[in-house]
Amino acid sequence: MPSKINNVFAEEVKAGLSASPRHLSSKWFYDATGDELFQAIMAMPEYYLTDAEREVYQYCGPELLENIGDRPFDLIELGAGDGSKTRYLINDFIAAGANFTYRPIDISAHAVEELSRRVAAEWPQLDYSPLIGDYFAALNNLGEPDDDAVRLVLFPGANIGNFNQAEASGFLRHLHQFLRPGDLLLTGFDLRKDPAVILAAYNDPAGHTADFNLNLLRRINNELKADFDLQQWMHWETYDPLSGAARSYLVARADQTVAIGTLGKTFHFDAWEAISVEVSQKYSRREIEALAEKSGYTHVQHFTDDRVLFSDSLWKV
Ligand code: AVI
């Protein structure tokens, strides 16, 4: 398995660094060091997204249950994470006597093991059935739920924002194929807001975001036998209020040639040349509703935090 992932990683690095303009996908940020750096980002005051979504999860449970009615349901979470926000929903659902099974899906066996330990400690009686794997492969393996069981799918954390808008709609349409009429999808969207607030979240003074992004070059060094000199690179963030896209770049501070041993190739970078590494798309509520329609869903309701920084938007199939 690791060698397969390495091959995909190597192929994508080769294609991205050979393209013009150069790009690498932010999905490769998350090795063990990247996971730790992302935890540090989520804990910093400028990264408002995590607290805003926590606020939403603290109150929306009963309203989700109203939409489900009395039917038994599967609570499916795309990306197991640490379950720290989902626990509010689970507690509300248990308190209401709901009949449900918690089914987190994650590609990382390690993440699922950690979550399973916490679930066993906190809710030993909970009907719990995690799935390890790629979201769509795992959804395929869900098996037919009981005839009257509905699916409530959670896609939290503004992960949808790491797709550009066309990719987001493609992902949501694909997800739609695994769902049945009456199923529900709750997706976390970071909302458009004061550009200064967005820029501060991705350009923090402590430099956590810079470390997180630069870690991608460290990962290429470690896994693909490369010799990027991290001192020769800097993190640069932009936010375009027209398109709603926050973008992260790694910018070469000087002319340099980098060898990537596993690829048997060298890449030359001119001074101040950039590699595009992440998009974090922001949405208005109207754009979210349009995305629902374009992707085949019916918009039901936006759950926002008090400051209207973030929305978990509920759609019906
Ligand atoms: C995971 N994802 C939603 C984060 C975001 O806000 O785009 C990743 C991140 N990148 C920099 N800071 C956080």
Side-chain angles (χ1 to χ4, degrees):
M1 193 66 176
S3 72
K4 188 168 175 224
I5 288 177
N6 256 342
N7 286 343
V8 178
F9 182 42
E11 286 308 318
E12 285 204 13
V13 168
K14 184 173 162 189
L17 294 185
S18 305
S20 177
R22 286 172 156 153
H23 57 86
L24 295 169
S25 168
S26 59
K27 74 178 178 218
W28 300 112
F29 284 177
Y30 302 90
D31 63 355
T33 308
D35 285 348
E36 267 176 38
L37 291 167
F38 187 50
Q39 292 295 328
I41 287 175
M42 288 193 292
M44 67 191 197
E46 295 84 1
Y47 195 74
Y48 56 84
L49 291 81
T50 310
D51 284 346
E53 190 173 50
R54 177 171 298 108
E55 195 182 315
V56 170
Y57 269 50
Q58 280 169 340
Y59 78 78
C60 73
E63 294 184 57
L64 294 175
L65 282 183
E66 271 175 35
N67 279 281
I68 294 169
D70 286 338
R71 296 169 292 175
F73 65 96
D74 280 340
L75 175 66
I76 298 168
E77 184 171 21
L78 303 184
D82 60 4
S84 67
K85 284 177 279 192
T86 313
R87 62 190 297 280
Y88 297 108
L89 298 187
I90 294 175
N91 282 333
D92 280 346
F93 295 166
I94 292 174
N99 177 3
F100 71 103
T101 303
Y102 178 34
R103 312 208 69 183
I105 299 177
D106 205 287
I107 191 125
S108 157
H110 177 69
V112 171
E113 277 160 25
E114 288 286 303
L115 179 63
S116 302
R117 250 191 296 279
R118 277 191 291 270
V119 166
E122 193 159 358
W123 306 286
Q125 314 296 351
L126 182 67
D127 210 344
Y128 173 69
S129 169
L131 290 154
I132 297 168
D134 165 77
Y135 294 156
F136 296 122
L139 282 166
N140 234 348
N141 291 333
L142 263 183
E144 278 300 296
D146 299 346
D147 268 349
D148 54 348
V150 70
R151 288 164 177 173
L152 168 59
V153 179
L154 309 177
F155 189 39
N159 290 325
I160 192 76
N162 296 134
F163 294 125
N164 66 39
Q165 296 201 44
E167 289 167 346
S169 181
F171 174 86
L172 293 162
R173 270 200 303 268
H174 194 180
L175 179 57
H176 191 278
Q177 294 169 15
F178 295 89
L179 303 177
R180 308 188 308 182
D183 285 350
L184 294 161
L185 172 63
L186 185 74
T187 307
F189 291 92
D190 193 17
L191 294 175
R192 288 178 182 255
K193 58 184 65 65
D194 180 345
V197 172
I198 293 172
L199 269 182
Y202 293 90
N203 204 14
D204 57 290
H208 292 308
T209 312
D211 284 350
F212 180 58
N213 290 4
L214 285 163
N215 182 56
L216 181 52
L217 301 185
R218 194 177 295 117
R219 183 169 183 190
I220 296 173
N221 283 349
N222 294 341
E223 293 183 30
L224 304 180
K225 301 187 177 69
D227 61 359
F228 276 103
D229 176 356
L230 269 59
Q231 301 299 322
Q232 298 297 327
W233 290 85
M234 60 187 271
H235 159 64
W236 189 257
E237 188 70 27
T238 64
Y239 174 64
D240 172 12
L242 264 187
S243 66
R247 293 185 187 279
S248 294
Y249 301 92
L250 291 168
V251 179
R253 292 178 186 271
D255 246 45
Q256 57 197 280
T257 299
V258 174
I260 303 188
T262 303
L263 299 179
K265 273 180 85 78
T266 59
F267 294 88
H268 181 79
F269 297 91
D270 292 335
W272 308 118
E273 186 176 342
I275 307 172
S276 167
V277 291
E278 186 172 57
V279 60
S280 299
Q281 182 66 41
K282 312 306 172 194
Y283 287 85
S284 68
R285 279 171 282 186
R286 202 172 310 147
E287 286 169 321
I288 295 170
E289 289 158 28
L291 182 63
E293 197 183 333
K294 192 172 155 199
S295 313
Y297 300 80
T298 303
H299 172 73
V300 177
Q301 191 175 347
H302 297 294
F303 296 104
T304 68
D305 59 301
D306 264 358
R307 292 192 294 160
V308 199
L309 299 173
F310 198 93
S311 175
D312 280 283
S313 299
L314 183 66
W315 301 349
K316 200 175 210 128
V317 175

